[in-house]
């Protein structure tokens, strides 16, 4: 009933002991009450955090580092709503938020997409009936394009420069309309996108071609809640699930000097892997069967039983939160 947004310091890597183990407990720096469940959040910059609420409101909190306090800096009341913004119970959960400073995009259970700009009171753009079903997650494809996933198995691209309220492309899982819960795009190869959904499958898409995933990989036994490419080593991907597992997908293992033939615009290009990091990655994620002798999959929490709801990753550091009301920090991903 009583929710909070908290900022923690998990210490500096400089404090690691000889074994690389971090010495010392995480410190709670500050926290603040939050109205509604926190559905998603993201840093906008060094001191501002954008938070999506189940009440439909989107709030920007400012972290004052000089005196370690949090304050609400800006708020868009009922950015998402079912009936109208004015009825007391009309809010619809805001399910996802993504920032590309100064722009903030939010999606919600009402199928609406909002584009806000930090420090502007009104939405810059709202696509009211963007989707007839719930939008579960959103990410930027480029500065002017976003990707959304919905509860009937569709991945859509929206060009924010276009005034019409239609997606520029629609991709979908074949047949069963399995809800998609999460999406991430490859940090260097922007046409490669990963999604996960209710059936626990990991789907890899190449948005330059076709409308279906390039590969469907058997993963978790229950809903996949989050998928992330490693921002600087994108041959590594991480997924977490309701089944209590968190998987590390590593395609960097055996990418020996096999050429891979990619047809781009009709001509075949030969890439030798490890030429550049990008090229080896392309061949791995987009090969017909990435798992075949090219991928190592490790469950990072083998005996967890409760849902792993969220994860994020930077450098050698993986952070994840579970239904055990605990947050875990793994600092030795590539040890």
């Amino acid at each position: 009933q009583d929710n909070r947004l908290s900022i923690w310091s998990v210490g500096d890597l400089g404090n690691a002991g000889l074994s690389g183990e971090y010495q010392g407990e995480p410190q709670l720096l500050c926290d603040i009450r939050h109205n509604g469940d926190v559905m998603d959040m993201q840093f906008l910059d060094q001191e501002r955090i954008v938070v999506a609420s189940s009440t439909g409101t989107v709030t920007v909190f400012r972290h004052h580092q000089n005196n370690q306090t949090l304050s609400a800096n800006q708020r868009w009341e009922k950015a998402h709503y079912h009936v109208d913004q004015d009825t007391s119970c009309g809010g619809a959960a805001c399910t996802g938020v993504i920032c590309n400073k100064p722009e903030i995009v939010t999606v919600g259970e009402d199928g609406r997409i909002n584009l806000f700009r930090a420090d502007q009171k009104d939405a810059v753009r709202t696509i009211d009936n963007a989707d007839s079903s719930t939008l579960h997650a959103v990410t930027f494809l480029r500065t002017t394009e976003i990707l959304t996933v919905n509860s009937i198995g569709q991945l859509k691209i929206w060009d924010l420069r276009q005034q019409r309220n239609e997606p520029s492309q629609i991709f979908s899982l074949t047949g069963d309309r399995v809800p998609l819960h999460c999406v991430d795009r490859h940090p260097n190869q922007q046409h490669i996108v990963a999604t996960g959904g209710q059936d626990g499958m990991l789907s890899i898409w190449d948005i330059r071609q076709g409308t279906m995933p390039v590969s469907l990989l058997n993963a978790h036994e229950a809903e996949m809640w989050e998928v992330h490419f490693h921002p600087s080593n994108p041959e590594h991907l991480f997924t977490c699930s309701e089944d209590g597992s968190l998987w590390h997908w590593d395609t960097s293992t055996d990418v020996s000097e096999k050429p891979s033939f990619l047809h781009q615009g009709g001509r075949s290009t030969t890439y030798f892997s490890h030429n550049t990091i990008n090229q080896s990655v392309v061949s791995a994620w987009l090969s017909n069967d990435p798992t075949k002798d090219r991928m190592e999959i490790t469950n990072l929490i083998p005996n967890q039983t409760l849902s792993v709801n969220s994860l994020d990753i930077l450098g050698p550091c993986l952070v994840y939160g579970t239904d055990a009301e605990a947050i875990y920090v793994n600092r030795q991903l590539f040890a």
Side-chain angles (χ1 to χ4, degrees):
Q1 295 305 308
D2 178 21
N3 298 307
R4 306 187 80 77
L5 170 73
S6 310
I7 300 228
W8 295 81
S9 162
V10 288
D12 216 355
L13 280 170
N15 298 356
L18 293 173
S19 62
E21 276 298 296
Y22 169 66
Q23 309 293 316
E25 286 294 303
Q27 298 293 315
L28 176 62
L29 297 180
C30 48
D31 64 0
I32 191 168
R33 283 202 58 175
H34 180 269
N35 195 8
D37 296 345
V38 174
M39 303 295 286
D40 197 8
M41 59 181 170
Q42 202 186 28
F43 276 97
L44 175 67
D45 53 27
Q46 288 293 319
E47 48 191 37
R48 287 181 293 179
I49 305 117
V50 183
V51 183
S53 169
S54 58
T55 63
T57 295
V58 177
T59 312
V60 182
F61 289 96
R62 187 178 288 275
H63 175 211
H64 306 275
Q65 291 166 359
N66 50 355
N67 62 355
Q68 291 304 346
T69 55
L70 275 164
S71 65
N73 177 236
Q74 190 170 4
R75 184 173 277 134
W76 292 286
E77 293 284 348
K78 291 207 186 133
H80 294 274
Y81 54 91
H82 283 304
V83 191
D84 60 69
Q85 267 172 310
D86 305 324
T87 49
S88 58
C89 58
C94 175
T95 50
V97 47
I98 192 83
C99 305
N100 186 14
K101 190 181 171 187
E103 298 190 318
I104 298 162
V105 175
T106 70
V107 295
E109 278 182 2
D110 52 357
R112 197 174 261 106
I113 298 173
N114 291 308
L115 172 63
F116 296 110
R117 207 162 271 140
D119 308 323
Q120 282 191 23
K121 198 164 97 13
D122 297 317
V124 179
R125 171 97 188 267
T126 294
I127 305 178
D128 269 331
N129 298 311
D131 215 295
S132 54
S133 65
T134 295
L135 288 169
H136 282 139
V138 59
T139 192
F140 274 96
L141 187 56
R142 304 185 174 76
T143 46
T144 53
E145 285 184 305
I146 56 167
L147 284 166
T148 58
V149 290
N150 70 11
S151 60
I152 55 171
Q154 292 172 322
L155 171 67
K156 296 183 183 181
I157 299 181
W158 304 83
D159 185 339
L160 297 172
R161 291 164 302 190
Q162 299 287 334
Q163 280 316 300
R164 53 196 191 88
N165 293 341
E166 299 290 323
S168 52
Q169 275 177 282
I170 300 180
F171 302 83
S172 58
L173 293 169
T174 45
D176 352 327
R177 300 196 153 204
V178 175
L180 290 172
H181 291 303
C182 52
V183 57
D184 196 26
R185 76 154 170 76
H186 191 290
N188 315 332
Q189 302 286 334
Q190 292 172 332
H191 53 275
I192 301 180
V193 173
T195 63
Q198 190 164 309
D199 56 3
M201 299 278 277
L202 171 64
S203 311
I204 305 289
W205 313 69
D206 180 347
I207 59 173
R208 298 168 306 183
Q209 54 187 10
T211 56
M212 293 178 345
V214 190
S215 52
L216 284 169
L217 302 169
N218 268 315
H220 302 279
E221 285 161 28
E223 290 90 344
M224 183 189 296
W225 292 130
E226 195 121 44
V227 57
H228 276 300
F229 284 101
H230 191 288
S232 50
N233 297 326
E235 65 267 50
H236 298 273
L237 178 104
F238 297 84
T239 58
C240 64
S241 166
E242 180 71 28
D243 68 10
S245 61
L246 193 162
W247 285 18
H248 173 188
W249 305 71
D250 177 1
T251 60
S252 68
T253 39
D254 174 27
V255 196
S256 53
E257 294 304 308
K258 289 184 224 164
S260 90
F261 296 90
L262 287 180
H263 294 277
Q264 285 177 314
R267 61 195 179 84
S268 74
T269 324
T270 310
Y271 283 150
F272 284 91
S273 39
H274 292 315
N275 243 349
T276 71
I277 190 165
N278 304 11
Q279 293 171 348
S280 64
V281 170
V282 169
S283 50
W285 286 117
L286 295 186
S287 68
N288 292 341
D289 180 7
T291 46
K292 192 162 161 276
D293 71 36
R294 286 185 173 246
M295 193 180 303
E296 207 173 298
I297 301 166
T298 317
N299 182 7
L300 299 179
I301 28 179
N303 37 19
Q304 185 78 26
T305 50
L306 295 170
S307 173
V308 185
N309 302 319
S310 186
L311 73 93
D312 206 354
I313 180 165
L314 190 64
C317 214
L318 168 74
V319 180
Y320 57 95
T322 77
D323 269 358
E325 296 190 7
I327 297 165
Y328 299 84
V329 182
N330 171 348
R331 301 172 159 279
Q332 298 177 291
L333 264 187
F334 302 118

